[in-house]
Amino acid sequence: MSHRESPLYIDTSAGLEQFCLEVQGAAWLAMDTEFLREKTYFPKFCLLQVATDRAVACIDPLALKSLEPLTDLIYSPAVVKVLHSARQDLEIFFHLYGKVPAPIFDTQIAAPLLGLGEQISYGALVAETLGIHLSKAHSRTDWSRRPLTPEQLRYAADDVIYLAQAYQQMRKRLDTLQRTQWLEQEFSDLVQPEVYEANPDSAWQRISGCLQLKGRQLSVLKELAAWREQAARKQDLPRGWLIKDEVLLDLARQQPQDPDALSHVRGLDERTQKKHGATLCGLVKEALERGPMNLDLKARPTKRTPEQEALLDLMMAVVRLRAAQHTLSPSVLASRKDLEQLLDGHEDAKLSKGWRHSMAGEELAALLRGELGLKVLDGNLRLFAHA
């Protein structure tokens, strides 16, 4: 499609059916979504852009009663869904249909394996892989407003037109380097339903400053955060519209058990006190009766011993060796913090899973177990297996 042409805009069931016939049999589908979330708990799905190597369309979920039969393609295990920074897009489909599309290919996750930066933006990815600099003219568009202008539709379509091109180039390079399979675990992790299920019991963990609280304060915060999560979901309102994070923290610290005490909590407006005051006080009482909550946090050493620092230096030498071997920046493969997590035995250490495990983590673990060592051979550092 020429960049000057308006992309196919689909707002009827007949148009969607025709498009699905055109792309039938596609091995992959580049996808992006436009949504709003400023005034809701759930993202408001406003536009879906899709592309294959032969077709592109902007599909209007606000005008269509159903996305069928496109959902058959989106959920087909035979079709790879290509996205960039996929989590928020996948969340929309999880909330709509109760399951996550799979399999996927996330170009942001794949980028570091090709020497590109971690957490690379879509614009930077397109510039690096295709040499094209995208416009940001409509980055603040209200995608819920209709009609959409031809310029807005072209801008939206660019998100999948160039994503499709970048994917084909990246996939070819990854296959040549035999690195595609290294991404399978990370892509698989991203389509697990639990990633998108907001558990009210763990809502307190997403509140900045929560770890400054202890004992009964934490118990109160957990109870209040769980209530807010359920209420926000039920009313489809942003969490902060009910009660802001900092107010929950103050409630946990002050632990008011009657309406008069609520008036001393900074930031708790009169309207919220009247509407939810009795509920909040009841939750505080329940949490206090339940007793203090103890966190099972691993103690982190305040200072490494000289031996530990030397071991970390040794591990970093292995990282540098493997990064050079695979033409990657060492910082993309592992930071010193990543090495510390592996050394400390953290279950979620980056180097214990995915492509980093394949490239260096497995060898580093063997080094820590004493199964591998380092030696200098002809002036070069080499890994060797102990006899």
Side-chain angles (χ1 to χ4, degrees):
M1 186 188 83
S2 167
H3 186 66
R4 295 185 182 89
E5 296 175 11
S6 293
L8 179 64
Y9 173 64
I10 297 175
D11 60 354
T12 66
S13 298
L16 187 59
E17 289 178 9
Q18 180 60 39
F19 177 75
C20 290
L21 288 174
E22 290 179 26
V23 299
Q24 191 173 21
W28 53 267
L29 190 69
M31 296 170 46
D32 187 40
T33 63
E34 305 297 345
F35 59 90
L36 298 178
R37 203 170 194 164
E38 289 82 0
K39 299 179 181 180
T40 59
Y41 177 89
F42 297 104
K44 183 179 180 181
F45 191 14
C46 299
L47 195 67
L48 171 63
Q49 305 98 283
V50 295
T52 67
D53 56 353
R54 60 181 184 267
V56 60
C58 294
I59 299 162
D60 192 344
L62 298 180
L64 293 163
K65 292 182 179 180
S66 170
L67 289 181
E68 294 181 356
L70 183 62
T71 48
D72 294 338
L73 280 174
I74 291 173
Y75 282 97
S76 170
V79 179
V80 176
K81 274 63 68 174
V82 182
L83 305 107
H84 183 83
S85 188
R87 183 162 177 163
Q88 288 186 313
D89 301 303
L90 296 177
E91 181 186 7
I92 288 174
F93 289 97
F94 176 76
H95 286 312
L96 284 175
Y97 303 105
K99 54 185 179 179
V100 187
I104 67 154
F105 184 101
D106 190 324
T107 51
Q108 187 180 67
I109 292 175
L113 284 181
L114 297 173
L116 303 172
E118 279 195 283
Q119 302 298 315
I120 190 171
S121 69
Y122 175 65
L125 179 85
V126 170
E128 290 283 341
T129 57
L130 305 175
I132 295 170
H133 297 276
L134 298 175
S135 167
K136 298 181 180 179
H138 297 284
S139 59
R140 301 296 297 173
T141 292
D142 180 350
W143 294 102
S144 67
R145 297 186 66 178
R146 296 295 184 271
L148 295 171
T149 67
E151 291 78 14
Q152 288 173 326
L153 290 173
R154 281 197 295 271
Y155 176 87
D158 281 351
D159 285 344
V160 286
I161 291 172
Y162 298 121
L163 178 63
Q165 295 176 18
Y167 164 68
Q168 292 175 87
Q169 184 185 117
M170 293 173 73
R171 183 62 186 262
K172 185 176 180 180
R173 290 174 62 194
L174 287 165
D175 289 345
T176 300
L177 294 168
Q178 297 183 329
R179 298 179 184 179
T180 305
Q181 64 181 15
W182 292 358
L183 294 162
E184 289 177 0
Q185 185 60 55
E186 289 187 64
F187 292 165
S188 177
D189 290 345
L190 197 54
V191 298
Q192 300 307 308
E194 54 266 25
V195 174
Y196 307 95
E197 293 169 342
N199 184 356
D201 288 338
S202 61
W204 65 274
Q205 297 175 4
R206 295 189 292 272
I207 298 175
S208 178
C210 65
L211 296 182
Q212 297 174 9
L213 305 181
K214 296 180 180 179
R216 284 185 169 82
Q217 293 178 337
L218 270 178
S219 294
V220 172
L221 181 66
K222 180 180 179 182
E223 200 74 27
L224 294 173
W227 166 80
R228 184 183 68 170
E229 191 74 25
Q230 293 168 325
R233 183 187 301 174
K234 184 176 181 180
Q235 300 175 53
D236 195 19
L237 292 173
R239 300 174 184 89
W241 282 26
L242 292 176
I243 300 181
K244 296 185 181 300
D245 284 3
E246 55 266 30
V247 176
L248 287 185
L249 288 170
D250 281 342
L251 285 167
R253 292 188 185 100
Q254 297 183 37
Q255 302 165 16
Q257 298 182 54
D258 59 71
D260 289 338
L262 281 175
S263 62
H264 299 292
V265 178
R266 184 178 179 182
L268 190 64
D269 58 82
E270 187 175 340
R271 179 176 174 274
T272 303
Q273 290 181 44
K274 288 181 178 179
K275 188 172 182 179
H276 301 297
T279 299
L280 294 173
C281 290
L283 291 168
V284 170
K285 288 180 181 178
E286 289 177 18
L288 294 175
E289 290 172 1
R290 193 170 291 114
M293 188 174 98
N294 296 315
L295 286 180
D296 184 21
L297 295 177
K298 291 185 178 180
R300 184 174 179 179
T302 55
K303 186 177 180 180
R304 298 282 177 183
T305 65
E307 291 80 6
Q308 288 174 324
E309 292 290 354
L311 184 53
L312 287 166
D313 290 339
L314 198 66
M315 295 168 71
M316 182 55 75
V318 175
V319 167
R320 290 183 179 278
L321 281 175
R322 291 297 170 251
Q325 178 185 350
H326 294 284
T327 61
L328 295 179
S329 166
S331 62
V332 169
L333 179 52
S335 66
R336 197 169 182 90
K337 182 179 178 181
D338 295 330
L339 294 175
E340 288 179 345
Q341 289 183 339
L342 188 67
L343 179 62
D344 294 338
H346 286 215
E347 292 181 2
D348 58 349
K350 271 187 179 180
L351 285 158
S352 65
K353 55 189 177 182
W355 65 268
R356 290 177 177 84
H357 177 70
S358 302
M359 188 180 289
E362 192 171 5
E363 288 182 327
L364 287 167
L367 181 72
L368 293 176
R369 293 192 301 267
E371 297 168 5
L372 292 179
L374 286 168
K375 64 180 178 181
V376 177
L377 185 65
D378 297 328
N380 294 308
L381 194 61
R382 296 286 184 267
L383 270 171
F384 70 97
H386 288 296

